[in-house]
Amino acid sequence: MHVIASRAIAVFALATLTGAAQTPQTPKAPRAARQQMVAQTPPMGWNSWNYFHRNVTDQDIRAAADAMVASGMRDAGYVYVNIDDTWEGERDANGELHSNSKFPDMKALADYVHSKGLKLGIYSTPGPKTCAGFEGSQGHEAQDARLFASLGIDYLKYDLCSFRAVMRAQAPNDPAAQMRLMEAAFAKMGKALRTVGRPMLYSLSLGGRDAAWEWAPSTGANLWRTTRDIQSNWDRIYAILSQQDGLAKYAGPGHWNDPDMLEVGNGKLTLAEDRSHFSMWAMLAAPLLAGNDLPNMKPEVRDILTNRDVIAIDQDRLGREGSRIYTEGEVDVWTRHLAGGAMAVAVLNAGAERYSTHPFHLNLVRLGLHGPQQGKDLWTGKEVTLTDNMPIELASHDVLLVRIASPK
Ligand code: GLA
């Protein structure tokens, strides 16, 4: 921010000295560079699907935006309010897509969300129908991209859905040709978004299949789903976490792996599970898109979602995703390298029991660390010293998350 501001001032000063334009001009980067400024850190916000599913309405989106402000989430960094599937209505004679009766005025809704200092996201598919059976963008990609820009949309989640059937029909029994069709379909919308003159974050959803991390960046995507749908139960969350092992090298500023939206505060997840889920998504440099009922969340859930130290791990400007370094029994140890040489260490008890009579012992050498390490426990806020072979007791499905400023 400071750099941009001072460059703008420098340009203004130069213009004044040379007697050129008297109004300050912000230097304009080429369009591609401006587009890349989206998602320099993983996006933070909220999405309607995990809590509302098909039932979401305009009022729910407004209430989520209000709650994002009132809860302190906006001030903690959350910015996108994303409408998932089921907003779509019919196309008119000109092919223009309209919202359905649950969303009477999309532009007014976008204006409302923007008036709160937030951004609005929307959902579509390259296929004829969305996953919930609503109107898709097939054959109308450029028109829909223009529509989204004119409405003031800032984020598009583009979900494969019925396009898989299109691929099978167009290239029967030819998986390689089907892949080319899929990549082309995602690239088509990526290109359309780049030509409408409004930065929009571009998020691909495709159920974690087909190694999207290898090819999605070439479609212009800022995010790509690495898994099937998340659910609000520990087994599913832990299964997704384990599937992320090995994907770290594909993530970085502007392009992130997406292990799906958060379930923090949903279903029967315990507070330990909420903490672990949130901690590990931060270790993964994952999008932090809350998926709970924001206006009615418990204070303890709000405290988890607004833990600034944990958010800072997720949003670390280096953009290096964490990796699982080792597993012992049911305990996983992950590390994430952070800007300025710092490091985050997460010790996760994935098991159903508390480790007490036979506590887990941390092996610092396996993390590349030597001798005692001073750090901060990001859930208690207290200073801690990690030592080699130290016993660590964790409740079932709970986590120890430590930031080490100067690892040795
Ligand atoms: C798919 C996606 C979900 C959600 C639904 C909507 O299942 O993976 O995240 O968007 O479609 O129908």
Side-chain angles (χ1 to χ4, degrees):
M1 287 296 274
H2 290 136
V3 175
I4 291 168
S6 57
R7 273 170 78 210
I9 291 163
V11 168
F12 177 50
L14 189 64
T16 311
L17 279 174
T18 56
Q22 293 298 307
T23 43
Q25 300 270 318
T26 305
K28 280 208 167 156
R31 174 167 282 150
R34 270 184 282 148
Q35 188 75 20
Q36 282 170 12
M37 292 312 285
V38 173
Q40 289 304 291
T41 58
M44 293 178 63
W46 175 87
N47 172 293
S48 60
W49 187 254
N50 284 354
Y51 182 76
F52 289 103
H53 299 278
R54 306 173 64 106
N55 303 322
V56 66
T57 66
D58 172 287
Q59 282 307 315
D60 298 325
I61 298 297
R62 286 170 192 253
D66 293 346
M68 209 182 266
V69 177
S71 63
M73 286 175 72
R74 181 188 64 183
D75 292 343
Y78 292 82
V79 61
Y80 293 103
V81 180
N82 292 351
I83 311 168
D84 206 276
D85 202 352
T86 78
W87 67 269
E88 310 87 343
E90 305 294 322
R91 289 189 189 276
D92 64 22
N94 299 320
E96 197 72 1
L97 181 58
H98 295 270
S99 48
N100 61 40
S101 59
K102 296 191 296 151
F103 290 89
D105 188 340
M106 272 299 189
K107 182 74 176 76
L109 179 57
D111 289 347
Y112 184 79
V113 170
H114 291 150
S115 76
K116 302 270 162 180
L118 300 168
K119 294 177 189 275
L120 187 65
I122 212 164
Y123 173 99
S124 193
T125 171
K129 293 287 174 207
T130 68
C131 295
F134 288 71
E135 185 70 19
S137 290
Q138 189 179 36
H140 297 273
E141 292 83 358
Q143 190 175 15
D144 286 358
R146 282 196 301 274
L147 170 71
F148 299 150
S150 73
L151 292 173
I153 299 295
D154 306 292
Y155 184 125
L156 175 66
K157 174 174 170 182
Y158 207 47
D159 202 344
L160 190 66
C161 303
S162 61
F163 195 78
R164 201 172 279 283
V166 173
M167 289 150 52
R168 290 193 182 120
Q170 288 187 10
N173 306 317
D174 188 345
Q178 290 175 16
M179 277 294 302
R180 287 194 293 277
L181 288 168
M182 175 162 58
E183 291 181 37
F186 282 127
K188 190 172 193 179
M189 183 54 95
K191 189 170 172 205
L193 293 177
R194 283 195 298 279
T195 52
V196 292
R198 181 178 180 86
M200 273 186 259
L201 192 151
Y202 186 33
S203 158
L204 306 194
S205 182
L206 63 165
R209 287 189 274 177
D210 304 308
W213 42 89
E214 288 185 350
W215 52 266
S218 71
T219 69
N222 302 111
L223 314 175
W224 49 86
R225 275 277 294 279
T226 56
T227 73
R228 290 183 170 227
D229 287 10
I230 197 167
Q231 294 159 6
S232 58
N233 66 73
W234 175 257
D235 287 349
R236 185 77 197 112
I237 289 166
Y238 184 66
I240 287 180
L241 172 65
S242 299
Q243 287 165 22
Q244 307 313 300
D245 203 13
L247 299 186
K249 63 175 181 280
Y250 297 101
H255 53 100
W256 308 99
N257 291 310
D258 175 6
D260 208 354
M261 305 167 297
L262 295 168
E263 293 282 10
V264 172
N266 278 343
K268 293 196 169 73
L269 291 176
T270 65
L271 288 176
E273 290 167 345
D274 283 339
R275 253 192 316 272
S276 294
H277 177 22
F278 196 63
S279 301
M280 298 317 295
W281 262 232
M283 292 295 282
L284 293 173
L288 295 181
L289 295 174
N292 57 322
D293 182 12
L294 296 186
N296 298 304
M297 70 180 150
K298 291 190 261 175
E300 307 90 277
V301 168
R302 180 205 57 211
D303 290 348
I304 291 172
L305 289 172
T306 55
N307 182 317
R308 287 174 188 244
D309 287 333
V310 181
I311 290 172
I313 303 291
D314 183 76
Q315 297 289 299
D316 184 76
R317 66 184 154 79
L318 197 59
R320 275 183 72 182
E321 183 177 327
S323 297
R324 179 157 59 188
I325 305 300
Y326 76 99
T327 298
E328 198 174 286
E330 292 176 306
V331 177
D332 290 343
V333 183
W334 291 66
T335 63
R336 181 171 172 187
H337 293 280
L338 305 169
M343 185 193 247
V345 177
V347 183
L348 177 70
N349 176 8
E353 308 285 338
R354 183 183 182 92
Y355 277 69
S356 52
T357 48
H358 299 285
F360 166 80
H361 290 88
L362 180 65
N363 187 328
L364 285 184
V365 178
R366 288 177 82 170
L367 309 184
L369 300 173
H370 302 281
Q373 308 289 325
Q374 306 295 329
K376 181 178 180 187
D377 178 330
L378 302 188
W379 288 111
T380 64
K382 294 194 175 127
E383 298 300 313
V384 287
T385 304
L386 300 181
T387 55
D388 198 29
N389 206 35
M390 74 186 281
I392 295 179
E393 258 193 63
L394 286 169
S396 166
H397 303 169
D398 212 344
V399 70
L400 171 71
L401 182 62
V402 175
R403 182 191 185 104
I404 304 169
S406 306
K408 298 182 288 267

Short mmCIF file of all heavy atoms in Angstrom, two decimals, residues 49 84-85 123 131-132 157 159 161 205 225 229 260-261, ligand 1:
data_model
loop_
_atom_site.label_atom_id
_atom_site.label_comp_id
_atom_site.label_asym_id
_atom_site.label_seq_id
_atom_site.Cartn_x
_atom_site.Cartn_y
_atom_site.Cartn_z
N TRP A 49 -23.28 -21.53 0.82
CA TRP A 49 -23.68 -22.92 0.59
C TRP A 49 -23.69 -23.79 1.85
O TRP A 49 -24.65 -24.52 2.10
CB TRP A 49 -22.78 -23.56 -0.48
CG TRP A 49 -23.27 -24.93 -0.84
CD1 TRP A 49 -22.71 -26.12 -0.48
CD2 TRP A 49 -24.44 -25.25 -1.62
NE1 TRP A 49 -23.45 -27.16 -0.98
CE2 TRP A 49 -24.51 -26.65 -1.68
CE3 TRP A 49 -25.42 -24.49 -2.25
CZ2 TRP A 49 -25.54 -27.31 -2.35
CZ3 TRP A 49 -26.44 -25.14 -2.93
CH2 TRP A 49 -26.49 -26.53 -2.97
N ASP A 84 -23.74 -18.56 -3.40
CA ASP A 84 -23.45 -19.82 -4.11
C ASP A 84 -24.63 -20.14 -5.02
O ASP A 84 -25.41 -19.25 -5.42
CB ASP A 84 -23.15 -20.93 -3.09
CG ASP A 84 -22.25 -22.03 -3.65
OD1 ASP A 84 -22.77 -22.95 -4.30
OD2 ASP A 84 -21.02 -21.96 -3.45
N ASP A 85 -24.78 -21.37 -5.37
CA ASP A 85 -25.80 -21.83 -6.32
C ASP A 85 -27.22 -21.49 -5.83
O ASP A 85 -27.44 -21.33 -4.63
CB ASP A 85 -25.65 -23.35 -6.47
CG ASP A 85 -26.24 -23.88 -7.76
OD1 ASP A 85 -26.89 -23.11 -8.47
OD2 ASP A 85 -26.03 -25.07 -8.03
N TYR A 123 -21.96 -17.21 -8.49
CA TYR A 123 -21.70 -18.61 -8.84
C TYR A 123 -22.27 -18.92 -10.21
O TYR A 123 -23.38 -18.48 -10.54
CB TYR A 123 -22.37 -19.46 -7.77
CG TYR A 123 -22.39 -20.95 -8.00
CD1 TYR A 123 -21.46 -21.78 -7.38
CD2 TYR A 123 -23.36 -21.54 -8.82
CE1 TYR A 123 -21.50 -23.16 -7.57
CE2 TYR A 123 -23.39 -22.92 -9.00
CZ TYR A 123 -22.46 -23.72 -8.37
OH TYR A 123 -22.49 -25.07 -8.56
N CYS A 131 -24.98 -27.33 -10.49
CA CYS A 131 -25.09 -28.58 -9.74
C CYS A 131 -26.48 -28.73 -9.12
O CYS A 131 -26.97 -29.83 -8.92
CB CYS A 131 -24.02 -28.67 -8.67
SG CYS A 131 -22.34 -28.75 -9.33
N ALA A 132 -27.12 -27.61 -8.78
CA ALA A 132 -28.47 -27.67 -8.20
C ALA A 132 -29.54 -27.57 -9.28
O ALA A 132 -30.73 -27.43 -8.96
CB ALA A 132 -28.64 -26.57 -7.16
N LYS A 157 -17.34 -18.02 -8.57
CA LYS A 157 -17.08 -19.45 -8.37
C LYS A 157 -17.70 -20.16 -9.56
O LYS A 157 -18.91 -20.02 -9.80
CB LYS A 157 -17.70 -19.93 -7.05
CG LYS A 157 -17.62 -21.43 -6.82
CD LYS A 157 -18.14 -21.77 -5.43
CE LYS A 157 -18.30 -23.27 -5.20
NZ LYS A 157 -18.84 -23.56 -3.86
N ASP A 159 -18.33 -23.67 -11.40
CA ASP A 159 -18.41 -25.05 -10.94
C ASP A 159 -18.69 -25.98 -12.12
O ASP A 159 -19.64 -25.75 -12.88
CB ASP A 159 -19.56 -25.12 -9.91
CG ASP A 159 -19.45 -26.30 -8.99
OD1 ASP A 159 -18.69 -27.24 -9.30
OD2 ASP A 159 -20.14 -26.29 -7.95
N CYS A 161 -19.98 -29.07 -12.66
CA CYS A 161 -21.37 -29.58 -12.67
C CYS A 161 -21.70 -30.30 -13.98
O CYS A 161 -21.01 -31.24 -14.35
CB CYS A 161 -22.36 -28.44 -12.41
SG CYS A 161 -22.07 -27.57 -10.86
N SER A 205 -14.36 -24.78 -9.36
CA SER A 205 -14.86 -25.85 -8.50
C SER A 205 -15.06 -27.07 -9.39
O SER A 205 -15.74 -26.99 -10.41
CB SER A 205 -16.19 -25.39 -7.88
OG SER A 205 -16.69 -26.37 -7.01
N ARG A 225 -10.56 -26.03 -6.60
CA ARG A 225 -10.92 -27.00 -5.56
C ARG A 225 -10.05 -28.23 -5.69
O ARG A 225 -9.81 -28.73 -6.78
CB ARG A 225 -12.39 -27.37 -5.70
CG ARG A 225 -13.34 -26.40 -5.00
CD ARG A 225 -13.47 -26.73 -3.52
NE ARG A 225 -14.12 -28.01 -3.37
CZ ARG A 225 -15.45 -28.17 -3.43
NH1 ARG A 225 -16.25 -27.13 -3.60
NH2 ARG A 225 -15.97 -29.36 -3.29
N ASP A 229 -16.85 -32.28 -1.89
CA ASP A 229 -17.45 -31.33 -0.95
C ASP A 229 -17.12 -31.66 0.51
O ASP A 229 -17.16 -32.82 0.94
CB ASP A 229 -18.97 -31.31 -1.11
CG ASP A 229 -19.38 -30.60 -2.39
OD1 ASP A 229 -18.50 -30.30 -3.22
OD2 ASP A 229 -20.59 -30.36 -2.56
N ASP A 260 -11.82 -26.41 0.05
CA ASP A 260 -13.26 -26.15 0.26
C ASP A 260 -13.49 -25.21 1.44
O ASP A 260 -12.62 -24.95 2.24
CB ASP A 260 -14.07 -27.45 0.42
CG ASP A 260 -15.53 -27.27 -0.06
OD1 ASP A 260 -15.90 -26.13 -0.40
OD2 ASP A 260 -16.26 -28.27 -0.09
N MET A 261 -14.73 -24.76 1.50
CA MET A 261 -15.08 -23.67 2.43
C MET A 261 -15.17 -24.19 3.86
O MET A 261 -15.30 -25.38 4.10
CB MET A 261 -16.42 -23.09 1.98
CG MET A 261 -16.35 -22.65 0.52
SD MET A 261 -17.94 -22.30 -0.25
CE MET A 261 -18.80 -23.84 -0.23
C1 GLA B 1 -21.05 -28.37 -5.79
C2 GLA B 1 -19.94 -27.57 -5.09
C3 GLA B 1 -20.48 -27.00 -3.80
C4 GLA B 1 -21.70 -26.14 -4.08
C5 GLA B 1 -22.74 -26.94 -4.84
C6 GLA B 1 -23.89 -26.05 -5.31
O1 GLA B 1 -21.38 -29.51 -5.07
O2 GLA B 1 -18.82 -28.39 -4.84
O3 GLA B 1 -19.47 -26.24 -3.15
O4 GLA B 1 -21.28 -25.02 -4.84
O5 GLA B 1 -22.19 -27.55 -6.01
O6 GLA B 1 -24.84 -26.74 -6.05
#
